[in-house]
Every structure is written in C-alpha cells, then in structure tokens.
Amino acid sequence: MKVFLPCRKGSERVPRKNIKPFAGYPHGLLELKLRQLIQAERIDEVILSTNDEDILEYARTLGSEKLTIHHRADSLCTSATSTDELMAHVVDLIPEGHILWTHVTSPFVNATCYDQMIKCYFEQLDHGYDSLMSSTLIRSFLWNDGGPINYDRAVEKWPRTQTLPAVHEVNSAAFINSAENYRRYADRIGQKPFLFSLESIVAHDIDWEPDFVLAESIAQTGLVEL
C-alpha cells in the first residue's frame, strides 16, 4: 500500500500547524504522523507532498527507505486549492496500485489503526465494495431547519439515543482507493466505499487552534496510544 500525505505551507487557522511542536514531538504533527505511517507493516511507501521548506528539510533528515519526498508546486498549495484539484496530482505520483490518503491532522490514527484499515479494505473488495473511507458514528438528535432528520417525532418525540439510527460523519482520517478508480471517477473514493468507523477520540481532527490544544492535552495524558 502506498500513502499520499499532503502537507501544504501556510495554514491560516493554526499557524505552522503541520510542524510546530506537539506533545513532546519537536517537529509536531508531521513527525508523529510519519512515525506512525513508517511503523505500519502494511504500508510500503509514504509519499510526502509539500511546498514547505521546513517540512522538506526535516523529512530529508529521516533517511527512511519507506519515505519519498515530493516538492509540490506552489500552484497546488494555495488556500484556494480544492481537494478535487489534487486528484490528478495523486495519480501522477502513484499511477498504479492502491492509495491511502491521510493527513497529519489525525494524530491518534496510529500504525495499528492504519494496518487494520488496509486489511479491512482488501477484505471488503471481495464483498462488493470498491474503496474505504473512515467515519465517526453519530447517535444524536440531528436536526435541520425542517426538523429532525434521523427520527420521527410523530412516533416518539424523544427516543433513547441508543435506539436512533447511526449516521456516519466523514472524519477525513483515511481514504483508500485504487489508482484505477482515481482515474475513472476523479475521486479518492469509488462508487461503493466501505465505511470504517473510528472511535470519536481516535478520529479527532485538528482544524482550529482549540482542536490543537485539545489534541495535545489528550496525547499528554496518554488516553490514546500514539
């Protein structure tokens, strides 16, 4: 399995989010994520795609045979660059085989978790699925402006939450798909993705400054294995 790990320069919501010190890791989330990916037994190669000179400089010091460093063009690293625009870029880097797309902003998805997801992906290919996407199960009272969307108040106004139908929230921790499907659908999932549910604490994603602070506290208390 080959991994695509995008790390663009210039995070606006959390300055230097990818590489600033985190929970005892001097090179932050990037250092932690590369360690997790390199340790995963089912991962053969990690392709780090970045335009950040600090990240490039650090990555070059690692000397891991699993790590391939790609200096991405600045035109694909702006705040306006969409995920869709990166699809062709991914296939240029990984033209065949299977691709795991992940982010440093999921610090609690460790090597064991990656191995479990990859194993599950190949198993589910034999059961009619064509890709895998990580999710977080939500069993809560979900509403929009029109009212509840996952239960019927005409039947029961406040059902027990454990009886509510689960809704999957895409947490962006991992997407696994074939290079062939990338070209066919221009997407990091296929037409029938298997939803691999992660515990909410494992799926914690760092997007804003409070997310970073909370993640660092969780890591320092040892609630989750890194």
Side-chain angles (χ1 to χ4, degrees):
M1 178 68 66
K2 295 186 178 182
V3 172
F4 174 69
L5 182 65
C7 289
R8 76 174 180 88
K9 182 180 180 180
S11 171
E12 296 174 355
R13 285 174 273 196
V14 185
R16 293 180 54 78
K17 174 174 64 177
N18 295 326
I19 200 168
K20 76 174 187 173
F22 172 82
Y25 290 87
H27 295 90
L29 297 171
L30 173 70
E31 180 181 353
L32 172 59
K33 185 53 59 185
L34 287 177
R35 189 191 76 164
Q36 292 166 334
L37 292 169
I38 289 169
Q39 287 180 346
E41 295 179 359
R42 296 177 185 269
I43 289 174
D44 303 307
E45 183 180 6
V46 179
I47 294 132
L48 172 64
S49 179
T50 184
N51 68 329
D52 190 318
E53 291 295 341
D54 290 337
I55 290 176
L56 290 165
E57 181 180 354
Y58 166 69
R60 292 182 186 121
T61 68
L62 296 180
S64 171
E65 294 181 356
K66 277 191 175 184
L67 180 60
T68 298
I69 303 167
H70 176 262
H71 193 161
R72 199 195 317 171
D74 287 336
S75 59
L76 283 173
C77 297
T78 71
S79 58
T81 302
S82 70
T83 300
D84 288 353
E85 291 179 85
L86 289 178
M87 301 302 172
H89 173 63
V90 173
V91 182
D92 285 342
L93 294 176
I94 311 173
E96 59 184 18
H98 302 272
I99 303 165
L100 190 159
W101 180 323
T102 191
H103 300 96
V104 303
T105 50
S106 298
F108 306 130
V109 181
N110 60 22
T112 299
C113 189
Y114 284 118
D115 280 335
Q116 290 171 345
M117 286 191 283
I118 293 168
K119 180 176 182 289
C120 180
Y121 166 72
F122 285 113
E123 290 174 346
Q124 295 305 322
L125 290 181
D126 293 329
H127 291 88
Y129 294 93
D130 65 357
S131 51
L132 180 146
M133 177 167 59
S134 64
S135 68
T136 307
L137 283 179
I138 298 175
R139 281 192 170 88
S140 301
F141 299 110
L142 302 178
W143 285 53
N144 59 23
D145 289 341
I149 62 176
N150 64 333
Y151 70 101
D152 186 350
R153 280 177 58 85
V155 175
E156 188 174 7
K157 292 183 176 63
W158 299 106
R160 292 178 299 155
T161 53
Q162 59 266 40
T163 66
L164 291 172
V167 177
H168 288 263
E169 177 186 8
V170 177
N171 54 43
S172 297
F175 303 87
I176 309 179
N177 200 7
S178 66
E180 180 183 357
N181 278 346
Y182 267 81
R183 283 188 292 271
R184 180 181 300 165
Y185 304 118
D187 200 350
R188 56 187 174 181
I189 58 172
Q191 296 296 286
K192 189 178 179 182
F194 179 83
L195 300 177
F196 188 98
S197 179
L198 298 174
E199 293 183 11
S200 59
I201 193 169
V202 174
H204 180 77
D205 179 66
I206 297 173
D207 195 16
W208 300 88
E209 187 68 37
D211 301 325
F212 189 98
V213 173
L214 177 58
E216 192 166 39
S217 297
I218 292 170
Q220 290 169 338
T221 58
L223 287 173
V224 181
E225 182 181 351
L226 299 179

